[in-house]
């Protein structure tokens, strides 16, 4: 297998993964750029390439869109603390052979530059040695596997509680998924796509448990889930959504199959999504809407409630 390390940061790699997980389906480079806010096209390209290098992301040869390749990618961006994210990134790094060689060569040579040079030679990379150094240090530092001692000296950290942190991530994920399954019930879960509805909404709920909630990301995750639900619901009802974009237009196309109260609930879901996703509001003198933590916490739960209530109505159960 060939390897090629490009210049990027751990934060940009995580941002790329977050964009793809948030969408819940294949995404374009343009979507990644807009979602992440990474400054230049070149930086976006390099972050995508390195996320592929670490086996987190892959490109669909038919559509040229990017999609998640590893379950570790989802766990990385839904972990509830920096320590948990670091623990997952450490696992990702330890599965990447050039990193293991880089670590071994540094421990032998005690020179970070020489370790990078030898890693490049051993894997016959075209990469610039300084790019190898900067990227590996960035990702390893993010993973809390490496720390600087000053004067170009570093030390690798053996984390005793890494397994405990991973178990916490898996436990929180399992509890969230189980809770959502119990709330919806087996009959509803069987009707919904695991990949584009159940999993992304579980991820949105997990993100609300983070120590520092990324409010915009929570809204995007949950809103994309709900739009995917409308797409699936339209197929079941035989309604064409051709030319319909966004939650509001798709709701209007489904009016005959939705109650007035549920259309009102969908309006709330769509308005919050627009506030999070559409930038400056011309109706508010060009100001940007701030998404509060309270709104972010309740939003994916309202999405879950609305999906359940719409499907229950089809079975004669009227509730909100």
């Amino acid at each position: 297998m060939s390897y090629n390390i490009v210049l990027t940061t751990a934060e940009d790699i995580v941002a790329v993964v977050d964009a793809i997980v948030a969408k819940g389906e294949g995404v374009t480079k343009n979507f990644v750029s807009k979602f992440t806010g990474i400054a230049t096209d070149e930086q976006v390209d390099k972050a995508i390439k390195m996320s592929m290098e670490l086996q987190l992301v892959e490109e669909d040869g038919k559509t040229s869109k990017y999609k998640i390749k590893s379950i570790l990618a989802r766990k990385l961006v839904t972990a509830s603390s920096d320590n948990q994210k670091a623990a997952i990134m450490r696992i990702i790094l330890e599965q990447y052979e050039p990193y293991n060689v880089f670590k071994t060569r540094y421990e032998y040579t005690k020179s970070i530059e020489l370790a990078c040079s030898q890693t490049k030679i051993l894997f016959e990379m075209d990469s610039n040695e300084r790019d190898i150094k900067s990227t590996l240090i960035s990702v390893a530092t993010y993973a809390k596997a490496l720390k600087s001692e000053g004067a170009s000296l570093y030390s690798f950290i053996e984390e005793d509680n890494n397994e405990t942190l991973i178990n916490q991530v898996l436990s929180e994920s399992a509890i969230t998924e189980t809770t959502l399954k119990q709330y919806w019930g087996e009959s509803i879960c069987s009707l919904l796509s695991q990949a584009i509805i159940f999993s992304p909404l579980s991820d949105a709920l997990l993100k609300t448990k983070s120590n520092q909630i990324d409010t915009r990301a929570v809204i995007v995750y949950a809103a994309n889930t709900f739009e995917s639900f409308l797409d699936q619901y339209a197929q079941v009802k035989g309604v064409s959504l051709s030319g319909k974009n966004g939650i509001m237009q798709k709701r209007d196309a489904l009016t005959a199959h939705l109650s007035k109260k549920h259309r009102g609930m969908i309006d709330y879901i769509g308005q919050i999504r627009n506030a999070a996703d559409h930038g400056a509001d011309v109706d508010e003198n060009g100001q940007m809407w701030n998404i509060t933590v309270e709104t972010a916490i309740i939003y994916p739960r309202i999405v879950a409630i609305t999906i359940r209530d719409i499907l229950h109505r089809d079975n004669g159960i009227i509730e909100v």
Side-chain angles (χ1 to χ4, degrees), residues 71-295:
I71 187 63
L72 289 173
R74 280 187 61 208
K75 302 304 179 188
L76 177 64
V77 297
T78 56
S80 61
S81 71
D82 289 344
N83 285 337
Q84 289 179 357
K85 287 180 170 65
I88 295 168
M89 185 64 89
R90 182 187 286 261
I91 293 176
I92 293 165
L93 263 182
E94 289 173 350
Q95 293 177 351
Y96 183 57
E97 193 57 28
Y99 169 76
N100 293 321
V101 170
F102 161 72
K103 179 179 177 180
T104 299
R105 297 316 305 164
Y106 178 72
E107 289 174 342
Y108 180 77
T109 64
K110 303 304 180 186
S111 166
I112 204 79
E113 287 76 16
L114 189 54
C116 290
S117 173
Q118 292 176 348
T119 300
K120 173 181 177 175
I121 292 167
L122 286 168
F123 288 101
E124 300 180 345
M125 293 182 186
D126 295 328
S127 310
N128 181 290
E129 290 175 19
R130 287 172 295 184
D131 293 349
I132 294 173
K133 173 184 174 181
S134 295
T135 298
L136 288 181
I137 288 176
S138 175
V139 179
T141 302
Y142 184 96
K144 299 187 178 180
L146 182 72
K147 70 175 181 178
S148 173
E149 304 289 356
S152 295
L153 295 175
Y154 296 84
S155 60
F156 287 91
I157 305 165
E158 299 302 327
E159 188 62 70
D160 293 333
N161 67 338
N162 212 58
E163 184 176 347
T164 300
L165 290 167
I166 294 299
N167 287 336
Q168 287 176 359
V169 173
L170 297 177
S171 176
E172 289 175 4
S173 178
I175 290 170
T176 301
E177 291 183 2
T178 299
T179 301
L180 185 56
K181 285 178 181 177
Q182 289 174 343
Y183 177 72
W184 274 346
E186 186 176 341
S187 61
I188 289 180
C189 286
S190 67
L191 296 173
L192 302 175
S193 166
Q194 174 81 21
I196 63 173
I197 299 176
F198 183 83
S199 292
L201 189 56
S202 295
D203 292 340
L205 289 164
L206 267 175
K207 278 185 166 289
T208 67
K209 299 178 181 180
S210 175
N211 293 342
Q212 292 185 318
I213 298 177
D214 183 343
T215 58
R216 180 174 175 271
V218 171
I219 302 303
V220 172
Y221 272 55
N224 287 343
T225 296
F226 190 74
E227 187 169 353
S228 295
F229 164 73
L230 292 179
D231 291 339
Q232 184 176 319
Y233 192 65
Q235 289 180 344
V236 172
K237 297 299 183 181
V239 175
S240 172
L241 296 180
S242 177
K244 306 298 182 183
N245 298 309
I247 289 172
M248 304 300 207
Q249 290 185 17
K250 292 177 181 181
R251 175 206 60 185
D252 292 344
L254 285 161
T255 292
H257 302 280
L258 298 167
S259 72
K260 181 177 180 180
K261 287 181 171 54
H262 292 154
R263 292 198 303 273
M265 294 170 73
I266 295 171
D267 187 59
Y268 172 82
I269 293 171
Q271 293 293 352
I272 298 299
R273 198 251 200 112
N274 289 344
D277 209 29
H278 286 184
D281 190 335
V282 295
D283 295 328
E284 297 294 335
N285 299 318
Q287 295 184 84
M288 300 282 290
W289 284 96
N290 176 52
I291 306 300
T292 66
V293 169
E294 293 80 6
T295 296

